[in-house]
Amino acid sequence: MIRLQSYLSGRWQDGEGEGAALRDPSTEEVVARTSTAGLDFGAALSFARERGGPALRALSFAERGAMLSAMSKLLHTERDALIEVSAKSAGTPRGDAKFDIDGAAGTLAYYGSLGKRLGDRRWLAPDEGEQLTRSSRFWGYHIELPLRGVAVHVNAFNFPAWGFAEKAAVALLAGVPVVTKPATATAWLTYECVKRILDAEILPEGALSLVCGGAGDLLMHLRSQDALAFTGSAETGRTLRSLPNVIEHSVRVNVEADSLNSTVVAPGVERGSEVWQLFVRDVAREVTQKSGQKCTATRRVFVPTELLAAAQEDLVEELKRTKVGVPGDEGVRMGPLTTAQQKTDVLAGIRALMDEGAELTFRGEAPEGEGYFVPVSLLTQPNPAQATQVHQLEVFGPVATLMPYEGVEQAIELVARGGGSLLATVYGDDKQALSELILGLAPHSGRVLVGSKKVADQTTPPGMVLPSCVHGGPGRAGGGEELGGLRGLRFYLQRTAVQGDRALLARLLDVPRGD
Amino acid sequence: MIRLQSYLSGRWQDGEGEGAALRDPSTEEVVARTSTAGLDFGAALSFARERGGPALRALSFAERGAMLSAMSKLLHTERDALIEVSAKSAGTPRGDAKFDIDGAAGTLAYYGSLGKRLGDRRWLAPDEGEQLTRSSRFWGYHIELPLRGVAVHVNAFNFPAWGFAEKAAVALLAGVPVVTKPATATAWLTYECVKRILDAEILPEGALSLVCGGAGDLLMHLRSQDALAFTGSAETGRTLRSLPNVIEHSVRVNVEADSLNSTVVAPGVERGSEVWQLFVRDVAREVTQKSGQKCTATRRVFVPTELLAAAQEDLVEELKRTKVGVPGDEGVRMGPLTTAQQKTDVLAGIRALMDEGAELTFRGEAPEGEGYFVPVSLLTQPNPAQATQVHQLEVFGPVATLMPYEGVEQAIELVARGGGSLLATVYGDDKQALSELILGLAPHSGRVLVGSKKVADQTTPPGMVLPSCVHGGPGRAGGGEELGGLRGLRFYLQRTAVQGDRALLARLLDVPRGD
């Protein structure tokens, strides 16, 4: 058993007492312990602000990017060791562990190369500006400088590597020091990533801190130049947004919450076509990957009424192929849920969906006894317009509900009942239907993936978050926005209009020549 | 006396009971009454969403822009009538009334012409997108579509015309219907503006509604596709942000709050120079314009220690020239405060500043008896590093505090104690000092105006908000962002990543050719 520590104020620190127990989800054995009791979070944030902030701001984008590239390479080099920790601490089969760890390394690499492209500057080049009055001398530019505070990242249990890395990459490239707080249940993997990065001395002192265990009063110390990025349940997101100091000091908060993501098969798709096959493969993957514990996983699958029976048959056929069991065992592709609580919640969630009339179309097999295993379940809700739970209750496990719809307009209306999602996926080739679906679903979605014939063998999996595209969604999904290349940096920058003598400002602000 | 009504659900409606009394601040006479008791705000928001939203979204930017231009022309045509209402309801001399009304017309005209430039599109052109994988066919675009809800605008009492118009211009151009709620005390002028716009039938039904009086349960009806923009006190901003439904549905909230704006005279400025004269004129104007009731007014004036005595002398000389009295009376340039409460608060604020050691450098004359008149006051705080109130307590009237500083670094540190401001103004010509000040103040400011020799006769007044530059500020100032040309529209748009077949999406999303 390992005892995890936190890295705060430039040193490893252990909290008081026995601490929380982290269990192997396949065996329920305690594999690690960690405590933050008695640690001084106020001092840790001050240290990050006062040491890490100036050190990062003194570096150029290219220099910060080089650090991210080094972090990426390190995680890649250490991949096998990390996969092992992932299996023991998060119950992930090799494929799921790689998805998390390669996602981390890939996002760091992407932002590393973005830093290289941004070059020697220490802040984003101002726009070309504009004339403000009749005088051609009096000019306005907008500059974006790093916040003078600290970025606190509170992550979910499902992506201990990727969740840490994607947030850290963006904040560090922007020039803002990071205090990362993984969910306690799977913090061991984050700990292993952070420890290696710190040991390699890639980052300046104070640029990266780790809270391993309970958050205590960490968030009470946030002030106006700080930023809080959170991934997790909508409920916790609401709690963080309501914190008195967050409200009082207008602390920036980005919430990326689980949501009721949808898949829609557009009218006109033929059973057995390439697009249909893509739909079937994608849904089966989204339901089972990471045991369905992905904020981007599909929860609601809408198909034209006439295709409902076909979708049931083909999805069941595909889902049957997923063997559930202990990671590493022969042929196992899906592991257990991460915690006992998750298992309880998922089983209760399935019951709630069935209580309002969803039928059990498929229920797979899963090991009994020790371990937080649950079977893969496909439900069918024949009356989606009357149902409410299926649009509001996220069952965070290997579960999806199939529903019929009549006409594109109804499909959009049903998707919108989710109250805002990270993602909607649309399959089809009919241009009119696709156009209506994209434009109708976009206001309710952070991302829309369109699977059509010509890209049927080239799309990324819908649930995969790419660093070049924004990640987040309106309403229920938290109303936030992460990643998206440069776009994500803006959360960590203060945009300021600067007005004055054009020539003077162009020189002082280092406006690119040619403007 | 006039009875004001609200325009909701497509018709003028009067609330129950006697309602609130609106007084002429110069005479304390009741000049208008208004009530919203019993009005159905839930129905009004639904009407705006269901009627105004689709009607606006069906129009192109150019068409929406043409409506804004027509609104601008109308307000300009009706200027004299509006100036009269402003005097009676807000106690503004002609110059202050014009500042408000011309600000409204000018902002509408700016966004009208921006709409014209954006042309026939109904949503912003997507960026050129980027390749997402090794396949050059699988592509990602980002599109920005109008929210499907309603924009509720809660405005401050100090700019009944401009406050309404600047928020409405941006939301309407984005394609989102507006429910505007002016502060009750000065709602008469907003009412006159809105009434004229509605009578002229410039806008489609449901695009513009008016709440004249108490907000009642208006904000409780906001949902995930709605947006709430607020200008006013930091305290009310906190209350709005904490509303349970706002938190629960991730309702977008933009807060633009009063803040402790600063003016800094850089080292090296010579008394009597052009830049010095600009500084003196600007401060005197900012302190007295609108009787100091501007969220952008300068509250803290920092000068190098060796220039403190000179600044006191020259500012007093300039401030003496402002005659305070009843609008319209011979030579009167500054009117009363807007309400009895404001007068009470301002006098208490001055006492609080003096209680921690600020000295009264100048106190002008003001009419006694009827009317909410207060004298212009210039204070000097000799120990700004020890004082706290002067950096935290905004006295929302014709009051500013002069303070000495030693070295640029201290000036930045003192400004930062305000916890985030809308604006900082810097005067000087020394490039090194200006560079340090701009880059040091920007993270704490939404805007930095630099007054230097070559633009000494060409700058806009620091307190003037230009539609081309962002307006808002971090922390204490609310953490929001309005205007800034296109930038302001984004508050009313949902950004969505769309992934799929490049050629197909380019056609469906109407990506401009050449990409």
Side-chain angles (χ1 to χ4, degrees), chain A residues 127 135 137 142 225 250 439 442-443 445-450 454 458 470 475 481 487 495-499, chain B residues 127 135 137 142 148 225 250 442-443 445-450 454 458 470 475 481 487 495-499:
Chain A
D127 57 9
S135 160
R137 201 181 260 284
H142 287 83
Q225 290 278 323
S250 310
L439 297 178
S445 316
R447 181 160 60 92
V448 175
L449 187 144
V450 184
K454 291 197 175 156
Q458 295 171 32
V470 294
E481 200 176 72
R487 298 174 188 87
R495 176 149 58 185
T496 305
V498 184
Q499 305 170 324
Chain B
D127 57 8
S135 160
R137 200 181 261 285
H142 287 81
R148 296 303 173 106
Q225 290 279 320
S250 311
S445 315
R447 181 160 60 92
V448 175
L449 187 144
V450 183
K454 290 196 177 158
Q458 295 170 32
V470 294
E481 200 176 73
R487 297 173 188 86
R495 176 149 58 185
T496 305
V498 184
Q499 305 171 324

Side-chain angles (χ1 to χ4, degrees), chain A residues 21-43:
Chain A
L22 283 63
R23 292 169 191 274
D24 179 335
S26 304
T27 63
E28 303 188 21
E29 251 179 88
V30 176
V31 290
R33 283 195 175 274
T34 188
S35 166
T36 57
L39 299 185
D40 188 344
F41 290 130

Side-chain angles (χ1 to χ4, degrees), chain A residues 51-109:
Chain A
R51 301 289 280 275
L56 285 169
R57 292 196 298 271
L59 301 173
S60 67
F61 282 116
E63 288 166 325
R64 294 176 210 149
M67 299 183 323
L68 300 180
S69 301
M71 288 165 68
S72 172
K73 285 200 189 88
L74 184 61
L75 295 190
H76 188 74
T77 307
E78 298 288 322
R79 196 174 184 231
D80 286 335
L82 296 173
I83 286 173
E84 202 174 306
V85 173
S86 180
K88 275 191 284 187
S89 63
T92 48
R94 191 169 171 87
D96 284 352
K98 285 199 299 192
F99 190 68
D100 182 24
I101 295 158
D102 292 351
T107 305
L108 286 163

Side-chain angles (χ1 to χ4, degrees), chain B residues 349-369:
Chain B
I350 294 173
R351 277 194 301 277
L353 295 180
M354 294 180 67
D355 281 350
E356 67 162 9
E359 299 150 11
L360 189 62
T361 304
F362 171 71
R363 187 185 176 89
E365 290 177 4
E368 312 229 333

Side-chain angles (χ1 to χ4, degrees), chain B residues 215-503:
Chain B
D217 66 355
L218 173 68
L219 303 180
M220 312 301 164
H221 298 283
L222 293 171
R223 291 297 177 270
S224 70
Q225 290 279 320
D226 300 329
L228 169 61
F230 166 74
T231 296
S233 75
E235 196 185 328
T236 306
R238 289 194 280 272
T239 306
L240 301 189
R241 272 223 185 89
S242 310
L243 291 172
N245 58 307
V246 165
I247 299 268
E248 162 143 18
H249 299 285
S250 311
V251 175
R252 295 187 185 189
V253 181
N254 195 86
V255 172
E256 191 267 276
D258 42 62
S259 61
L260 281 295
N261 307 299
S262 300
T263 291
V264 180
V265 174
V269 173
E270 279 178 39
R271 183 180 187 177
S273 65
E274 282 170 88
V275 168
W276 177 267
Q277 293 306 110
L278 175 64
F279 151 69
V280 171
R281 279 198 312 273
D282 277 353
V283 170
R285 188 200 304 102
E286 292 305 319
V287 170
T288 58
Q289 191 175 44
K290 301 270 309 176
S291 309
Q293 299 172 114
K294 280 189 324 202
C295 50
T296 54
T298 271
R299 307 291 170 197
R300 300 180 293 159
V301 182
F302 298 97
V303 297
T305 304
E306 63 275 18
L307 286 170
L308 183 64
Q312 286 175 322
E313 274 177 40
D314 292 357
L315 284 172
V316 168
E317 203 53 44
E318 187 75 17
L319 287 169
K320 272 187 187 160
R321 299 165 55 179
T322 301
K323 183 171 171 193
V324 180
V326 175
D329 282 4
E330 179 73 23
V332 163
R333 278 188 24 216
M334 188 180 114
L337 296 179
T338 305
T339 64
Q341 185 63 49
Q342 288 301 316
K343 180 173 175 177
T344 304
D345 290 351
V346 165
L347 297 177
I350 294 173
R351 277 194 301 277
L353 295 180
M354 294 180 67
D355 281 350
E356 67 162 9
E359 299 150 11
L360 189 62
T361 304
F362 171 71
R363 187 185 176 89
E365 290 177 4
E368 312 229 333
E370 299 295 284
Y372 312 128
F373 298 95
V374 297
V376 175
S377 299
L378 180 69
L379 306 175
T380 300
Q381 169 53 262
N383 299 304
Q386 277 73 52
T388 57
Q389 290 285 300
V390 73
H391 303 297
Q392 290 171 16
L393 177 70
E394 191 197 32
V395 183
F396 205 67
V399 186
T401 305
L402 196 54
M403 291 173 269
Y405 74 85
E406 296 280 347
V408 164
E409 206 170 310
Q410 196 198 22
I412 293 169
E413 196 272 315
L414 291 172
V415 170
R417 289 198 192 185
S421 302
L422 294 171
L423 170 65
T425 313
V426 177
Y427 297 90
D429 283 304
D430 180 297
K431 288 192 184 58
Q432 180 61 30
L434 287 181
S435 170
E436 285 172 33
L437 281 167
I438 295 170
L439 298 177
L441 298 177
H444 307 285
S445 315
R447 181 160 60 92
V448 175
L449 187 144
V450 183
S452 59
K453 189 173 174 185
K454 290 196 177 158
V455 291
D457 56 348
Q458 295 170 32
T459 59
T460 47
M464 180 180 275
V465 171
L466 299 175
S468 55
C469 294
V470 294
H471 175 50
R476 162 81 191 238
E481 200 176 73
E482 291 185 336
L483 298 169
L486 259 186
R487 297 173 188 86
L489 266 65
R490 300 220 146 85
F491 181 63
Y492 301 102
L493 304 174
Q494 168 65 34
R495 176 149 58 185
T496 305
V498 184
Q499 305 171 324
D501 175 4
R502 184 182 191 180

Side-chain angles (χ1 to χ4, degrees), chain A residues 23-275:
Chain A
R23 292 169 191 274
D24 179 335
S26 304
T27 63
E28 303 188 21
E29 251 179 88
V30 176
V31 290
R33 283 195 175 274
T34 188
S35 166
T36 57
L39 299 185
D40 188 344
F41 290 130
L45 294 195
S46 295
F47 183 86
R49 286 185 202 108
E50 287 155 27
R51 301 289 280 275
L56 285 169
R57 292 196 298 271
L59 301 173
S60 67
F61 282 116
E63 288 166 325
R64 294 176 210 149
M67 299 183 323
L68 300 180
S69 301
M71 288 165 68
S72 172
K73 285 200 189 88
L74 184 61
L75 295 190
H76 188 74
T77 307
E78 298 288 322
R79 196 174 184 231
D80 286 335
L82 296 173
I83 286 173
E84 202 174 306
V85 173
S86 180
K88 275 191 284 187
S89 63
T92 48
R94 191 169 171 87
D96 284 352
K98 285 199 299 192
F99 190 68
D100 182 24
I101 295 158
D102 292 351
T107 305
L108 286 163
Y110 176 91
Y111 277 96
S113 89
L114 179 57
K116 192 172 172 185
R117 280 210 304 282
L118 293 172
D120 283 345
R121 308 187 64 89
R122 286 180 297 137
W123 65 86
L124 296 179
D127 57 9
E128 67 213 41
E130 64 187 289
Q131 189 171 320
L132 298 180
T133 60
R134 279 179 196 161
S135 160
S136 64
R137 201 181 260 284
F138 186 58
W139 208 256
Y141 292 103
H142 287 83
I143 62 172
E144 296 173 289
L145 297 179
L147 295 178
R148 296 305 173 105
V150 59
V152 173
H153 293 161
V154 178
N155 279 310
F157 67 82
N158 53 346
F159 285 100
W162 188 88
F164 145 65
E166 66 103 7
K167 286 187 168 62
V170 180
L172 292 171
L173 186 59
V176 176
V178 168
V179 174
T180 191
K181 195 228 140 333
T184 305
T186 57
W188 185 7
L189 180 57
T190 315
Y191 168 87
E192 294 292 337
C193 294
V194 170
K195 189 167 188 320
R196 282 167 169 78
I197 292 164
L198 292 169
D199 286 350
E201 296 184 354
I202 295 169
L203 296 166
E205 193 173 38
L208 179 61
S209 307
L210 170 71
V211 174
C212 224
D217 66 354
L218 173 68
L219 303 180
M220 313 300 164
H221 298 283
L222 293 171
R223 290 297 177 268
S224 70
Q225 290 278 323
D226 301 329
L228 169 61
F230 166 74
T231 297
S233 74
E235 196 185 327
T236 306
R238 289 194 279 272
T239 306
L240 301 189
R241 272 223 185 89
S242 309
L243 292 172
N245 59 307
V246 165
I247 298 270
E248 163 143 16
H249 298 286
S250 310
V251 175
R252 295 188 186 189
V253 181
N254 194 85
V255 172
E256 192 267 276
D258 44 60
S259 61
L260 282 295
N261 307 299
S262 300
T263 291
V264 180
V265 174
V269 173
E270 279 178 39
R271 182 179 187 176
S273 65
E274 282 169 272
V275 168

